[in-house]
Amino acid sequence: MADDLAERLRAICLALPEVNERPSHGAPAFFVRDKKSFLQLWASGHHDDDFPHLWCAAAPGAQAELVAGAPDKFFRPPYVGGRGWIGVRLDGDVDWAEIAELCEDAYRAVAPARLVAVLDER
């Protein structure tokens, strides 16, 4: 299951402009220009969250809105939650179209304007 989750996220994230993947804290992570992280996968869980999930960057206010609207799916992750990042559960029935949108939103939250413009031109 971990490999399948990583492959699905890899296909989504590496399709974004100038994204690369490398491990961070022992987990697959995705970066814009090998500098700014926007998503990390915890396929086997992390700390007290012992279910598959990801953490992703988000626009201001998105974390509170998503967690309030669907607390069974979204949560405030440790470490990066204070910066507005979102935790997303990947157990159960995963809506991969929604995950792709979250990945793109996370990318937009950290990418420079020039790369966001490249994405918008697609």
Side-chain angles (χ1 to χ4, degrees):
M1 179 175 170
D3 289 339
D4 185 46
L5 290 174
E7 287 303 316
R8 292 196 79 160
L9 283 173
R10 190 171 287 125
I12 294 166
C13 293
L14 294 179
L16 299 167
E18 297 188 41
V19 168
N20 66 296
E21 176 188 359
R22 64 180 152 87
S24 179
H25 300 87
F30 297 89
F31 296 81
V32 177
R33 293 185 171 161
D34 203 28
K35 294 178 185 168
K36 289 190 171 188
S37 173
F38 68 96
L39 188 136
Q40 190 161 17
L41 171 64
W42 299 100
S44 299
H46 186 64
H47 291 311
D48 292 334
D49 299 321
D50 61 353
F51 46 83
H53 63 276
L54 62 82
W55 298 346
C56 63
Q63 179 196 80
E65 181 181 325
L66 290 170
V67 171
D72 56 322
K73 185 188 311 186
F74 301 106
F75 62 97
R76 184 177 190 258
Y79 310 114
V80 293
R83 291 185 288 157
W85 281 46
I86 302 165
V88 183
R89 294 185 70 119
L90 298 174
D91 53 346
D93 188 25
V94 177
D95 180 346
W96 285 102
E98 180 180 47
I99 297 298
E101 288 177 26
L102 289 167
C103 292
E104 184 175 314
D105 290 346
Y107 175 88
R108 289 175 181 279
V110 304
R114 186 184 75 70
L115 291 181
V116 171
V118 169
L119 181 60
D120 289 341
E121 289 174 4
R122 292 182 175 181

